[in-house]
Amino acid sequence: MNLPTKITIARIVMIPVFIASFCLQSLWQYMFAITAAVFFLASATDFLDGYIARKYNMVTALGKFLDPIADKVLVVAALFAIVAGGYIPTPYVAMICSIVIMARELIIGLFRQIAALRNSVLAADKLGKAKTVVTLSAMVWLFLAPPQNAALYGDVAYRVVMIVGYVQFVIATLLTVVSGVHYIVANRKLLSGRGEDRATSSECAQDASDAPSSDRG
């Protein structure tokens, strides 16, 4: 097992730690900081393992298998936490944005499976990578602003942190829709039975998370 794969496994291990810290926030008023820190570290590994794997030619089948699983579970866990924790003042906005993001993950997963069966390659897309960066950044900001701890910041500081996360979360949702539509249009041949042609204008096999971290070791 090489270094990138170990980093991916570390991200998987951090997911239950993140969930536990979120669930235990009522026990200690500063637990939210641990929740945000764990999520930030897990998100950082999402970029680190892919970078190392590609730069040092350490891509393995195990890494390719584990990476998308780690990415999707981390994002879905964070989305559930955001909705359940009331981090966004308008519950319906949080729910709709979360559904859109999760739906896109499912669609991309389907396309990746079809492409794999037809030996097609889905090329990387900067729009998808931007969506991932903005989504993870929004989540970190939101986890730094749990509504039950607003008094710790003061009204103004809390609102600034929450609004930054809120705005980024909405922008991430818009990027999710735009990049998702672009993905489908660019790879529509996969659905028409001509997927044997190598697709070259969308998100690559690393798009399990849309981060530059898919070809993991």
Side-chain angles (χ1 to χ4, degrees), residues 16-212:
V17 176
F18 160 74
I19 295 173
S21 66
F22 168 76
C23 295
L24 297 175
Q25 287 188 13
S26 61
L27 300 181
W28 185 41
Q29 61 180 352
Y30 295 105
M31 184 65 77
F32 75 93
I34 295 178
T35 301
V38 172
F39 183 79
F40 174 79
L41 290 174
S43 300
T45 66
D46 185 26
F47 297 89
L48 182 61
D49 54 3
Y51 171 78
I52 294 175
R54 291 191 304 274
K55 183 174 181 178
Y56 297 102
N57 193 26
M58 300 173 72
V59 178
T60 65
L62 179 60
K64 289 183 177 181
F65 172 75
L66 291 177
D67 178 68
I69 294 176
D71 294 344
K72 290 183 185 300
V73 175
L74 177 63
V75 171
V76 170
L79 290 173
F80 275 113
I82 288 171
V83 174
Y87 288 91
I88 293 180
T90 309
Y92 293 114
V93 172
M95 186 178 299
I96 291 172
C97 290
S98 297
I99 290 173
V100 169
I101 293 173
M102 286 190 287
R104 184 186 183 281
E105 292 298 319
L106 292 175
I107 293 172
I108 286 179
L110 175 62
F111 267 81
R112 291 180 66 245
Q113 291 299 322
I114 295 176
L117 291 174
R118 296 177 177 176
N119 296 318
S120 293
V121 176
L122 307 182
D125 182 291
K126 291 184 178 180
L127 191 60
K129 294 177 182 179
K131 187 272 299 182
T132 298
V133 172
V134 176
T135 300
L136 297 178
S137 175
M139 290 174 172
V140 172
W141 281 93
L142 289 173
F143 290 136
L144 286 172
Q148 69 271 19
N149 291 95
L152 292 176
Y153 285 94
D155 186 62
V156 175
Y158 169 76
R159 287 181 179 274
V160 169
V161 175
M162 185 272 293
I163 290 174
V164 170
Y166 190 172
V167 172
Q168 286 190 2
F169 195 65
V170 173
I171 293 174
T173 304
L174 295 176
L175 288 173
T176 293
V177 174
V178 173
S179 61
V181 171
H182 178 267
Y183 181 92
I184 294 173
V185 172
N187 296 285
R188 60 188 179 278
K189 289 183 179 181
L190 291 175
L191 298 179
S192 65
R194 291 178 290 171
E196 292 79 9
D197 299 330
R198 298 174 68 85
T200 58
S201 59
S202 181
E203 301 183 21
C204 67
Q206 72 195 45
D207 203 311
S209 65
D210 291 318

